[in-house]
Structures are given as structure tokens and as C-alpha cells.
Amino acid sequence: MDAKRSSKLTNEKLRTMKNLNYQLKQLCRNNRDGSYGTQNGRSRMLNMIAGQLETLGYRSMKANSLKPKHVIALTKLWNTQNISVGSQKNRLSAIRWWARKIGKQNVVAKNNQAYDIGSRTFVTNQSKSQELDRYKLSKITDPRTRLSLRLQDAFGLRREEAIKFRPRYAVQGDHVSLKSSWCKGGRARSIPITNDDQRKVLADVEAYVKGGSLIHSSLNYAQQLHRYESQTLRAGFSKLHGLRHGYAQRRFETLAGFPCPAKGGPRSKDLSSKQRELNKEARTIISAELGHSREAITAVYLGR
């Protein structure tokens, strides 16, 4: 009898948690905010958070029963696990999204410091830029993947933006325009076309896809992404986000007239008043071109 009761309680607990996981999954499916990568990451994060809530003893939750005590318990757990500041902020962003979708945005404090989550450290002044290795590029057998990599290098695009790139929509005279559905956070943006290397890659993309996109007609985005990942891995590429760093650093020197700190240029404290003006203007422009809303984020790419 005790064994049956224990089994029944265990099954009930699992069913209850599955309800929360299922409801959060449905919430994500019914609210497709942001790019594919953003949606996929949010869904995985909320699924993990549901598991953590069960571990913390909240075994009868539903998606609409989120309360301040749940957020506090989660952030205390993360602090004991030495989760990085950036990861904690990302998790809180997912919870804020959850709270908004159920009409309870006030459940989560607007300021992360309310949960003892400090500021992320951006400044290292160590360059993480990467040049596009032409030998490795030659080992890529899928033309669309090869062109996506060239777009990442030439325009500082994120991987998803480069894979979804459709030249008939994007190429607009002196700039490229990126759809909100291609971009992280659903933030559409434009990037100027300023040099011959950019014009060459755009011409090559247009000539190859002939009105289509860099996703093969027989594949969906997830399948093309899998092809991209397997191709780049076999070719020996890694940390391809470094191509965005390279774009930002080249762009900074063009705009400001001197290299950024991550490339050996002067630090903020050593700038003349004129250089400070140029520095701020260049960083503001680059932040927008990379798809960020804050100038401060450029310290990740450029140093400070």
C-alpha cells in the first residue's frame, strides 16, 4: 500500500511539473517574439527554470501563478551556484517575458540589483576579433554557408542574420536593411555599404541566390543552420562571433580615425577632447549597426 501511494504521489508530482513545462512551451509557441535563436533560447531557458522551481519545492505551479517569491527563490539559487552575471540577467529577461505574457509584469523587479545581481564586466581591452580564414573558407562545400560567412565578416552580421539574408529585400542602394524576423530581439536595422569588399560579397550573393535566400529551397532555417554548423566545424572554424568583433574594430578606425583600445589604440582616459567626441560618435554608430540599443555594449568589441 505504501509503495502504491508513493508511486501515485511521484506520478502526480511529475504530471504537475509537466503541466508547467507544457504551459510555458505553449506560451512560447503562441508568442513568437524575436528571431528564431531568441525564441529557441527563451524556450529552453524557461523549461530549465520550470525544473528549478520544482527543485525549490514549488510543485503545483501553473504558467499564470508566477509570484515575486518564485523570482526571489530562483535568483537566490543562482547566486549560490555562482552563475555568471550575464547568465542571470538572461534568465531574468526570460522570466520578465513570461510575466508580461501573463499580464503580471510587476511580479519581477525592474532593477536587477533588487536580486543582488551586479553589473556585467564588459571591458577587457583584449581583442576577440577574428579574420575570415580563406583556407578554411575554401573547405566549405556548401555555397550558401560560404556566402553567409562572408556576410558575417563584411557586415558584422550575427549567424542567423547571415543565414536568413535575402538580397532582394536587404540590398537598398547604399545600405543593407535587415528584417526584424532575422534579428536578435526583433530589432530591424540597416548597415551602410562603405567599401568594395562589401559590394563584392553582395554581388556574389545576388548572383547565386537569384532572388532567393541563403536558406536552400528544400530546407527550413533549422536545417540550414545544422548544415552551417556541421560545415564550419569540419572546416576548422570556431568562435565565429569574432567576425563581428573584427567588423566593429575596422569600422571604429574608419569612423574615429584611430584604432580602438582592443587593437592597441588609446584608452578613454588618454583621449583628447576632440578624440572623445569622435570616440563617442563612432561607438554610437557601431552599436546601432551591430543591433544593440546601448553604446556601452561596444566595450565588449572595442575595449574602453
Side-chain angles (χ1 to χ4, degrees):
M1 183 66 179
D2 289 342
K4 288 182 179 179
R5 183 177 299 167
S6 176
S7 177
K8 184 178 180 180
L9 289 172
T10 299
N11 290 337
E12 179 65 27
K13 182 175 76 171
L14 289 172
R15 185 164 62 251
T16 301
M17 261 330 282
K18 284 180 181 178
N19 284 341
L20 178 58
N21 285 43
Y22 174 78
Q23 289 177 20
L24 290 176
K25 191 171 185 178
Q26 288 300 107
L27 197 66
C28 291
R29 283 180 175 174
N30 294 333
N31 296 275
R32 297 190 176 276
D33 306 353
S35 67
Y36 176 89
T38 298
Q39 295 172 34
N40 196 36
R42 181 191 297 130
S43 182
R44 289 199 310 269
M45 207 170 292
L46 289 176
N47 187 61
M48 175 199 67
I49 286 168
Q52 291 179 330
L53 286 166
E54 191 273 339
T55 300
L56 290 165
Y58 300 107
R59 299 188 177 94
S60 57
M61 281 189 68
K62 295 181 180 179
N64 64 358
S65 61
L66 181 66
K67 294 181 174 63
K69 65 180 181 180
H70 300 130
V71 185
I72 292 170
L74 284 165
T75 54
K76 284 183 177 179
L77 173 66
W78 302 338
N79 282 326
T80 64
Q81 294 174 333
N82 293 320
I83 305 299
S84 72
V85 170
S87 293
Q88 291 189 54
K89 287 184 175 182
N90 289 338
R91 294 178 185 186
L92 269 178
S93 293
I95 295 175
R96 286 191 176 98
W97 179 89
W98 171 10
R100 285 197 304 273
K101 296 306 175 183
I102 62 171
K104 291 185 174 181
Q105 51 265 44
N106 292 333
V107 161
V108 190
K110 294 180 180 179
N111 193 326
N112 291 331
Q113 292 180 349
Y115 305 109
D116 293 324
I117 296 176
S119 299
R120 193 184 326 200
T121 300
F122 292 119
V123 182
T124 64
N125 284 346
Q126 294 180 351
S127 177
K128 296 180 182 178
S129 69
Q130 181 178 162
E131 293 184 6
L132 188 59
D133 188 310
R134 297 296 166 176
Y135 172 70
K136 291 178 181 177
L137 188 66
S138 69
K139 295 167 71 175
I140 300 288
T141 58
D142 174 45
R144 284 178 166 80
T145 297
R146 193 160 55 244
L147 289 167
S148 292
L149 286 167
R150 290 176 61 195
L151 283 170
Q152 286 180 260
D153 180 54
F155 291 96
L157 303 189
R158 296 183 179 95
R159 180 178 64 184
E160 182 170 352
E161 295 163 353
I163 291 174
K164 290 182 174 179
F165 195 86
R166 187 180 290 271
R168 181 168 289 179
Y169 173 89
V171 182
Q172 303 288 333
D174 63 352
H175 68 279
V176 295
S177 181
L178 304 182
K179 278 188 177 183
S180 59
S181 59
W182 304 350
C183 303
K184 184 176 181 180
R187 292 188 292 268
R189 71 184 191 278
S190 63
I191 305 169
I193 301 169
T194 61
N195 58 64
D196 289 339
D197 288 340
Q198 291 175 326
R199 295 182 188 94
K200 178 68 167 74
V201 67
L202 290 175
D204 290 347
V205 171
E206 290 183 278
Y208 186 81
V209 303
K210 294 179 171 55
S213 79
L214 285 176
I215 299 175
H216 194 279
S217 59
S218 66
L219 305 178
N220 59 31
Y221 168 72
Q223 292 167 329
Q224 184 67 37
L225 173 61
H226 177 72
R227 178 177 290 186
Y228 171 104
E229 290 174 333
S230 61
Q231 288 264 318
T232 54
L233 182 64
R234 284 200 298 268
F237 281 111
S238 64
K239 299 180 179 179
L240 285 166
H241 197 72
L243 296 176
R244 270 167 68 79
H245 288 252
Y247 171 84
Q249 292 172 11
R250 294 191 302 271
R251 187 79 171 119
F252 179 88
E253 188 159 3
T254 298
L255 291 167
F258 52 89
C260 64
K263 293 295 286 184
R267 301 185 64 172
S268 296
K269 64 180 181 180
D270 300 321
L271 297 176
S272 67
S273 58
K274 179 60 177 177
Q275 285 177 320
R276 286 194 185 94
E277 291 178 14
L278 293 168
N279 175 66
K280 183 176 181 180
E281 182 179 355
R283 287 174 184 269
T284 300
I285 291 171
I286 291 167
S287 176
E289 291 179 4
L290 292 178
H292 293 293
S293 58
R294 295 176 297 115
E295 177 272 331
I297 197 68
T298 60
V300 173
Y301 302 91
L302 307 172
R304 183 66 79 184

